[in-house]
Amino acid sequence: MIEFEHVTKSYPDQTVAVADFSLAIDSHRTIALVGSSGSGKTTLLRMVNRMVEPTAGRVLIDGTDVGNVDPVKLRRSIGYVLQQGGLMPHHTVVDNVAAVLRLNGMAKSPARERALEMMDRVGLDRAMAKRYPGQLSGGQQQRVGVA
Ligand SMILES: Nc1ncnc2c1ncn2[C@@H]1O[C@H](COP(=O)(O)OP(=O)(O)OP(=O)(O)O)[C@@H](O)[C@H]1O
Ligand SMILES: [Mg+2]
């Protein structure tokens, strides 16, 4: 469960990006944040992984205040897919997928094996594992991001 508890984000120039926002999102729910440009959606998401620290209020994941969690560990525990630009262009597809496992200490060989399984899950032919992101279509690159 992710909970936003009365979160506010204001900037030194007095811009209030988010004002007293509260929402509880149950586990295993799919939600969409919809709002006009500049209404604070990205700011809210960035508060979950501490890319933005709220000025007031707090964000909890399964009851734990993310403000008390090491930001690097927190970010490695959260999956996210960027629409574009999220892949490392100088690493192969399989090593892009294995990147977070490697950062979390898994050895190269099991991390690559797990990455190949993830490629199967998202419908990417294993033959593409040794290619670089620039050698894939846009949709294939997005699936690498999902994997
Ligand atoms: N460093 C900053 N200083 C001042 N204002 C900022 C800063 N960063 C963001 N903002 C403002 O915070 C508000 C919320 O921005 P945010 O990126 O959360 O909007 P959004 O809902 O994701 O918009 P969009 O749909 O355009 O992506 C905007 O008005 C933006 O101009
Ligand atoms: Mg945005």
Side-chain angles (χ1 to χ4, degrees), residues 56-87:
R58 49 186 205 152
V59 179
L60 302 107
I61 299 179
D62 293 335
T64 300
D65 182 347
V66 297
N68 297 329
V69 181
D70 174 66
V72 173
K73 282 199 184 128
L74 177 69
R75 287 168 201 156
R76 283 184 196 164
S77 73
I78 297 173
Y80 50 88
V81 181
L82 302 176
Q83 191 164 14
Q84 48 191 210
L87 303 180

Side-chain angles (χ1 to χ4, degrees), residues 82-134:
L82 302 176
Q83 191 164 14
Q84 48 191 210
L87 303 180
M88 294 174 284
H90 55 297
H91 283 186
T92 59
V93 165
V94 67
D95 285 337
N96 266 280
V97 177
V100 174
L101 296 173
R102 297 280 293 131
L103 284 171
N104 280 336
M106 193 182 281
K108 195 175 253 181
S109 174
R112 282 188 172 157
E113 187 48 43
R114 185 85 183 113
L116 291 171
E117 290 167 19
M118 285 299 118
M119 288 180 61
D120 296 340
R121 285 271 286 274
V122 299
L124 282 170
D125 196 322
R126 288 185 177 211
M128 293 180 181
K130 293 219 168 107
R131 288 202 210 163
Y132 289 88

Side-chain angles (χ1 to χ4, degrees), residues 1-2 24-30 61-62:
M1 177 186 255
I2 298 172
I25 304 158
D26 283 332
S27 298
H28 310 297
R29 291 272 166 179
T30 301
I61 299 179
D62 293 335

